[in-house]
Amino acid sequence: MKILGIETSCDETSAAVIADNRVLSNVIASQAVHLQFGGVVPELASRAHVRKIVPIVKEALKEARVSLTDVDAIAVTHGPGLIGALLVGVNYAKGLAMALKKPLIGVNHLEGHIYSNFLTHPELEPPFLVLLVSGGHTMLLLVEAHLKYRLLGQTRDDAIGEAYDKVAKLLGLGYPGGPVIDKRAQQGNPEYVTFPKGLAQDESFDFSYSGLKTAVANFLKSLSSREIEHHMNDICAAFQKAAVDILVEKTIRAARTFQIRRITIAGGVAANSYLRSEMARRAAEYHLDIFVPEFQYCTDNAAMIARAGWQRLQAGFQSDLYLNAFATLPLGEPLLTHAG
Ligand code: KG4
Ligand code: ZN
């Protein structure tokens, strides 16, 4: 079955064609317009999606060597995200579905991130844990069955990707912060300074990143600009250690508590080299299996939306032309159950 996926929830316009688990194309246009502002400007994002959506879908079809009539269904992100940005994709997908008389499937962006794992690991089967870490979310979930999630914990304040982006801004490293901090941290000494790990003593599986961000800001105030420059890589490494170690610790503890043998990571921060290696190292200690999506499926992309849409379609879900976009959209609703 061939699914056309469309993703416009933030600052990437993306379209993809998948044939079951096989990605035939995955075209992503990142919006450079936001770089000068150090963060995403919602109105500019919407306008860029309007300009890009038609050429990007055309390119995805061309690369996949598929015509619109070969497409069996259209999957589109309808939340959570920037409302104006989401509406561009949702309305375009609705128009296509109506014109082609093909099924339309609204996909939760977070479900897309979770299902990105199946593009790389088609053999993966629930139950498994997923650590979902992105610019907007930090969640630890138990996928009990396909499309059925149990929330074990989440951030009580900032998302981890947001912390990377804010710390990068404090250090003058530009936006987005994750990739550059990741790279610099590889050459730094993580023991140079110890930053606090949020909710480390807390028994819950929740996270917190606002304290870490403030600790970095306060530490920087105690240094001269020459010292900051000299120790930039060390500061990145120390921040990254505090930010990531707690994710790994709580994920491993959850796997043992709930007796789940399979661990996956997803979302933009899943591209982080230290998170990937540290999770693999700790999982091996406890003989747990770890599944990690390929880099190109970690950050926002439409292949993951198409894959999650295919799962929903197989389970009998389909949207009608009243499908709307939502800035906040609970994952798996009405299938999400809360732990405890
Ligand atoms: O999933 P994503 O593309 O968009 C959202 O749904 O938020 O995630 C973007 C986030 C940004 O905060 C970015 O700084 C972070 O993912 N990120 C990384 C890395 N690559 C992207 N964070 C840490 N290390 C990376 N290598
Ligand atoms: Zn995302």
Side-chain angles (χ1 to χ4, degrees):
M1 176 165 277
K2 292 195 179 73
I3 313 273
L4 170 67
I6 295 173
E7 155 67 37
T8 64
S9 69
C10 193
D11 59 342
E12 262 99 24
T13 315
S14 181
V17 181
I18 65 162
D20 299 351
N21 282 312
R22 223 154 32 91
V23 179
L24 303 183
S25 64
N26 187 30
V27 181
I28 304 166
S30 296
Q31 304 175 354
V33 62
H34 308 289
L35 292 176
Q36 58 189 307
F37 301 104
V40 179
V41 183
E43 179 56 29
L44 296 180
S46 311
R47 292 184 204 182
H49 286 308
V50 169
R51 278 195 302 276
K52 284 281 165 87
I53 186 98
V54 173
I56 291 296
V57 168
K58 273 193 181 158
E59 202 177 322
L61 291 165
K62 190 172 163 207
E63 219 177 86
R65 295 168 193 267
V66 160
S67 74
L68 267 180
T69 47
D70 299 330
V71 167
D72 297 299
I74 296 147
V76 63
T77 308
H78 74 121
L82 301 171
I83 192 73
L86 287 163
L87 279 167
V88 177
V90 166
N91 285 318
Y92 183 75
K94 280 202 232 180
L96 266 187
M98 190 162 78
L100 297 169
K101 298 191 176 59
K102 299 280 166 88
L104 172 72
I105 314 142
V107 172
N108 184 304
H109 181 79
L110 305 179
E111 192 161 76
H113 276 303
I114 294 169
Y115 274 83
S116 68
N117 270 289
F118 291 92
L119 297 171
T120 305
H121 303 286
E123 74 284 6
L124 179 63
E125 280 287 337
F128 59 85
L129 286 183
V130 54
L131 176 69
L132 179 43
V133 277
S134 72
H137 295 85
T138 307
M139 294 170 131
L140 186 57
L141 296 146
L142 170 53
V143 182
E144 296 177 312
H146 274 298
L147 308 174
K148 190 166 189 299
Y149 312 100
R150 185 166 159 198
L151 180 64
L152 304 181
Q154 61 185 328
T155 182
R156 294 188 187 166
D157 39 60
D158 294 351
I160 181 171
E162 201 179 339
Y164 266 93
D165 295 337
K166 285 179 178 167
V167 166
K169 203 168 184 176
L170 288 172
L171 293 169
L173 294 177
Y175 175 87
V180 54
I181 290 183
D182 186 356
K183 209 165 162 198
R184 282 183 166 268
Q186 287 169 21
Q187 275 122 49
N189 170 17
E191 314 299 337
Y192 168 64
V193 47
T194 304
F195 290 123
K197 294 183 202 169
L199 298 178
Q201 309 306 326
D202 192 283
E203 285 201 352
S204 74
F205 294 105
D206 283 346
F207 305 99
S208 167
Y209 283 99
S210 64
L212 173 57
K213 179 194 65 195
T214 309
V216 175
N218 287 338
F219 180 69
L220 293 179
K221 278 187 208 143
S222 74
L223 299 183
S224 68
S225 45
R226 186 190 280 185
E227 282 169 319
I228 294 176
E229 197 49 52
H230 186 66
H231 286 288
M232 187 69 88
N233 295 350
D234 301 330
I235 298 165
C236 288
F239 158 75
Q240 175 156 284
K241 184 169 171 52
V244 169
D245 280 356
I246 191 70
L247 293 176
V248 177
E249 268 165 42
K250 291 208 174 189
T251 305
I252 300 289
R253 179 153 64 78
R256 289 165 58 76
T257 305
F258 295 94
Q259 300 199 324
I260 301 293
R261 303 223 58 80
R262 291 182 283 263
I263 294 176
T264 71
I265 56 178
V269 183
N272 185 266
S273 60
Y274 179 61
L275 173 59
R276 293 164 86 97
S277 63
E278 192 59 9
M279 190 71 91
R281 189 182 70 78
R282 293 295 309 282
E285 272 176 27
Y286 291 99
H287 307 289
L288 303 168
D289 295 326
I290 165 111
F291 299 84
V292 177
E294 286 158 76
F295 283 109
Q296 72 261 36
Y297 305 134
C298 286
T299 42
D300 290 349
N301 68 90
M304 69 183 194
I305 302 302
R307 181 60 186 80
W310 181 46
Q311 199 70 41
R312 288 215 152 246
L313 196 64
Q314 288 177 87
F317 290 94
Q318 210 178 301
S319 307
D320 59 26
L321 294 174
Y322 291 102
L323 179 71
N324 207 347
F326 298 97
T328 54
L329 183 64
L331 177 64
E333 186 122 274
L335 299 171
L336 180 75
T337 58
H338 283 259

